Amino acid sequence: MRLLHTADWHIGHKFWGTGRVREHEHFLKWLLQQTHSYRPDAFLVVGDVFNGAGLLPEEERVFWDFMTQLTQDNPQMRVIMSAGNHDNARYMESSLPVFHRIGVQVRYQIPVNGRWETDFEELCIPVNAVDHPAEQALVLAIPADRNLVSDGQAYGTLMRDVAKRFSGMPLVVMAHVLAKGSRIPLTGKDDYIAENGDNIVDFTSLSSKVSYMALGHIHQAQEVAGKSNVWYAGSPLSLAFSERDYSHGINIVDLGQDGSVNVRMVEYEPLRKLLTIPSDAGGSFREVMSQLSSFEKKSSGDDTALYPYVEIKMREAEISPEMLEQLQTELEGRRIKVCRMEKVMPEETLKACYADLTPDDLQRLIPGAMVREMYSQLYNGEMPEEIARMLAEVKRTCEKAERLYQGRV
């Protein structure tokens, strides 16, 4: 039996104010081609199909055109979709008649029975191999749910119960969660490994009861904690510049009736690139201008939807109006979409800010004053009062939480 595992489409996402309809359309067209090439028996979409409520008509059209074509082209393939934390349950519920009409199984919330008990059997969906109907697997499609995540034992209880009841067939689990042992890449830093926390689910001890665990939520495709049967498919598009170097694609999973599994990632090249100029560490004005000049010049017939998204990081103690004017002129003539520009504080300037402070001075520093000073150094101006008020509210909330915590220990 063959599965196609994908997740985190985030249809409706805006990249620094720019709609991404063309990008999602490009991905979904590619994805449809993969179903023709690999002929999966089941097509699994593990959460965050949408980026939230309030889709634009054009975004809805792209989604429904794809789903309709997908089911028409693959009438015997089982299509299963589970909700993620960004998906709107009401929208999915209101769309159920359409999903049912085109043959898509959707699990958007944890169901309950007449006794208000969790009806986990409703989440179990049997799948048969198209060419070998006697070969069967069970898909446990678990939508994102805060109560499940907050109960550290709930997933284990659920999976053990399902594995026991359906012991005669391979078990596949769909879950949109942060899994223990997953790697969260951080730009310019070592990878962060999710280990502990109220929102982290430990699947490592449960993986032996599951043939394949199809995960969503983390946007970097990866095998989790060295378990060859526990995978994040990753997102098809980078949602922030910090994700610009992520690999994108889908997982094709071949599942044996004995529970064995073989996973291979099929890579996808997004329509638009994300670039940081010159680098995360920033560069001088001259370096920035030199790199910008390497891009082709605009012309009237350009398809601007193909322009790469660009962020600029400039490392200068002072940025003069003349620099900004030259930069603006260069940007207006190049085939790029500039989203943001950040002033990176030179290391020597940062050190100079606090070079004369003693340890006692540091202890007496007011956090608000430090932040204001850093803002002034970074942006050559005073921090707006609105931001200052927000920071003060965060400080009060943290102090209140600390007092409550200290009163309990």
Side-chain angles (χ1 to χ4, degrees), residues 166-208:
F166 300 92
S167 58
M169 65 180 76
L171 174 61
V172 176
V173 174
M174 298 170 62
H176 193 89
V177 293
L178 177 56
K180 182 176 181 178
S182 53
R183 189 180 72 257
I184 305 175
L186 302 174
T187 300
K189 302 179 181 179
D190 292 335
D191 289 353
Y192 168 74
I193 306 297
E195 290 295 344
N196 298 297
D198 293 337
N199 64 333
I200 296 176
V201 180
D202 185 358
F203 285 133
T204 54
S205 62
L206 302 169
S207 58
S208 61

Side-chain angles (χ1 to χ4, degrees), residues 11 22 46 55 75 80 83 140 159 198 220 236 246 310:
I11 294 174
R22 285 279 301 278
V46 194
L55 295 178
I80 304 172
L140 176 60
M159 290 163 59
D198 293 337
Q220 173 67 298
Y246 285 13
V310 169

Side-chain angles (χ1 to χ4, degrees), residues 354-370:
Y354 303 105
D356 298 328
L357 293 177
T358 67
D360 288 340
D361 292 331
L362 290 171
Q363 290 292 332
R364 289 192 295 269
L365 274 174
I366 300 172
M370 291 183 67

Side-chain angles (χ1 to χ4, degrees), residues 229-248:
N229 62 332
V230 183
W231 278 82
Y232 282 99
S235 62
L237 305 179
S238 294
L239 273 67
F241 280 106
S242 60
E243 300 179 3
R244 69 175 186 271
D245 295 325
Y246 285 13
S247 56
H248 304 282

Side-chain angles (χ1 to χ4, degrees), residues 42-312:
F43 182 97
L44 312 181
V45 191
V46 194
D48 283 359
V49 183
F50 308 109
N51 199 58
L55 295 178
L56 296 175
E58 199 59 8
E59 293 162 345
E60 288 205 56
R61 179 195 63 78
V62 167
F63 172 74
W64 288 111
D65 282 356
F66 167 75
M67 296 305 295
T68 302
Q69 194 67 48
L70 176 72
T71 52
Q72 287 178 352
D73 288 2
N74 304 276
Q76 293 179 292
M77 180 181 72
R78 183 67 72 110
V79 181
I80 304 172
M81 182 181 296
S82 60
N85 57 296
H86 278 266
D87 292 312
N88 184 274
R90 289 186 178 181
Y91 178 79
M92 284 190 156
E93 183 179 25
S94 66
S95 302
L96 282 180
V98 184
F99 280 121
H100 288 163
R101 187 162 62 247
I102 62 177
V104 177
Q105 296 280 336
V106 177
R107 298 297 183 267
Y108 62 92
Q109 65 182 10
I110 301 295
V112 294
N113 58 28
R115 298 186 298 277
W116 290 101
E117 298 170 336
T118 302
D119 185 4
F120 288 126
E121 289 193 15
E122 180 65 22
L123 302 176
C124 297
I125 304 170
V127 175
N128 293 85
V130 174
D131 295 331
H132 304 280
E135 295 183 7
Q136 192 175 49
L138 186 77
V139 175
L140 176 60
I142 309 173
D145 186 273
R146 292 181 180 178
N147 294 326
L148 266 182
V149 173
S150 63
D151 180 355
Q153 304 300 318
Y155 279 97
T157 301
L158 167 60
M159 290 163 59
R160 280 188 290 268
D161 182 54
V162 171
K164 184 177 180 180
R165 292 193 207 184
F166 300 92
S167 58
M169 65 180 76
L171 174 61
V172 176
V173 174
M174 298 170 62
H176 193 89
V177 293
L178 177 56
K180 182 176 181 178
S182 53
R183 189 180 72 257
I184 305 175
L186 302 174
T187 300
K189 302 179 181 179
D190 292 335
D191 289 353
Y192 168 74
I193 306 297
E195 290 295 344
N196 298 297
D198 293 337
N199 64 333
I200 296 176
V201 180
D202 185 358
F203 285 133
T204 54
S205 62
L206 302 169
S207 58
S208 61
K209 301 182 181 299
V210 178
S211 295
Y212 182 71
M213 198 168 293
L215 301 180
H217 191 45
I218 292 181
H219 296 166
Q220 173 67 298
Q222 60 184 279
E223 176 186 274
V224 176
K227 300 291 184 179
S228 60
N229 62 332
V230 183
W231 278 82
Y232 282 99
S235 62
L237 305 179
S238 294
L239 273 67
F241 280 106
S242 60
E243 300 179 3
R244 69 175 186 271
D245 295 325
Y246 285 13
S247 56
H248 304 282
I250 57 173
N251 279 359
I252 298 296
V253 183
D254 290 318
L255 187 66
Q257 283 297 285
D258 59 355
S260 60
V261 66
N262 179 62
V263 182
R264 50 181 159 158
M265 180 181 177
V266 181
E267 292 194 9
Y268 163 70
E269 183 68 33
L271 184 66
R272 300 178 76 158
K273 296 181 182 297
L274 274 68
L275 305 173
T276 298
I277 295 175
S279 67
D280 281 320
S284 67
F285 172 73
R286 180 176 295 180
E287 290 171 326
V288 170
M289 292 294 288
S290 174
Q291 192 158 340
L292 288 175
S293 67
S294 67
F295 289 95
E296 294 182 354
K297 291 186 177 181
K298 290 180 180 178
S299 64
S300 58
D302 283 352
D303 184 351
T304 58
L306 302 179
Y307 286 0
Y309 295 115
V310 169
E311 66 171 351
I312 296 172

